[in-house]
Amino acid sequence: MPKASRPNIQEWAEQTHQTILGVADMLGVPHETYTRDPRSLVPALQDWIYRAPLDEFGHPDWLALHEDLLCYLADFLIQRHGAHWQVEDDSAAARGYRYVIEATGVDRRTRRLDPAGIVRKELASLPIEIVRMLAAAELELHLTSQPDGEAQGASSRASR
């Protein structure tokens, strides 16, 4: 992809951060609290999801929920683990690229994940569990230490 057609990754990162700050605001979590510890949003976000009438959601509602969860997942990884947004070429995507999160794991290897894919998996596994979604991303990026046998077993379970 020519460099001139690359998206502005800083703008994308700022938009996703502002989106989740708006969600935090809507749920009564002060920006300072969220910025200090992005885990502070988990209880309010989970409660909102438990109370949401998911069986009445239309397509636009599911898209909005997907976007909010994607923004939270990415921002959580950025703030908690020093991850960052990257652009990855993707000929299957209409625009020729997709946004991914890149982070260095505890094993010092840099990996990428598509936060949209993690969110899609979570939305397909009702009930939606925020902590499970965050843990799936941390596991995929190897951001937490695990006993040798558990890491391999967890990866096998996650891919089923």
Side-chain angles (χ1 to χ4, degrees):
M1 165 183 291
K3 195 170 181 99
S5 66
R6 287 252 184 225
N8 183 333
I9 198 73
Q10 288 304 112
E11 184 178 309
W12 174 258
E14 184 58 29
Q15 286 174 354
T16 59
H17 181 68
Q18 289 304 314
T19 296
I20 201 56
L21 288 179
V23 170
D25 211 25
M26 174 188 77
L27 297 175
V29 176
H31 292 190
E32 305 77 34
T33 303
Y34 173 75
T35 301
R36 190 171 40 255
D37 184 358
R39 295 174 299 181
S40 64
L41 186 56
V42 170
L45 185 56
Q46 188 66 69
D47 183 57
W48 181 83
I49 287 173
Y50 282 156
R51 291 184 294 110
L54 299 179
D55 56 338
E56 298 173 18
F57 270 28
H59 186 69
D61 302 314
W62 283 106
L63 288 176
L65 178 59
H66 184 276
E67 179 182 343
D68 290 346
L69 293 177
L70 181 151
C71 290
Y72 178 56
L73 174 61
D75 205 63
F76 172 86
L77 294 169
I78 290 165
Q79 290 198 47
R80 183 107 170 115
H81 297 290
H84 55 275
W85 283 105
Q86 287 289 348
V87 175
E88 189 170 89
D89 292 337
D90 184 352
S91 60
R95 58 187 173 206
Y97 63 88
R98 63 189 172 118
Y99 294 101
V100 296
I101 289 290
E102 185 175 86
T104 301
V106 295
D107 59 359
R108 299 180 194 255
R109 289 186 52 207
T110 299
R111 293 178 178 79
R112 290 182 171 184
L113 73 77
D114 177 2
I118 296 285
V119 171
R120 275 192 302 274
K121 285 179 188 175
E122 190 57 41
L123 293 178
S125 303
L126 299 178
I128 299 165
E129 297 290 340
I130 301 302
V131 171
R132 178 176 59 199
M133 179 184 73
L134 299 175
E138 288 176 325
L139 181 64
E140 189 169 322
L141 290 169
H142 295 245
L143 296 173
T144 57
S145 297
Q146 299 176 2
D148 291 337
E150 277 188 44
Q152 190 173 8
S155 294
S156 297
R157 287 190 298 276
S159 64
R160 288 185 197 161

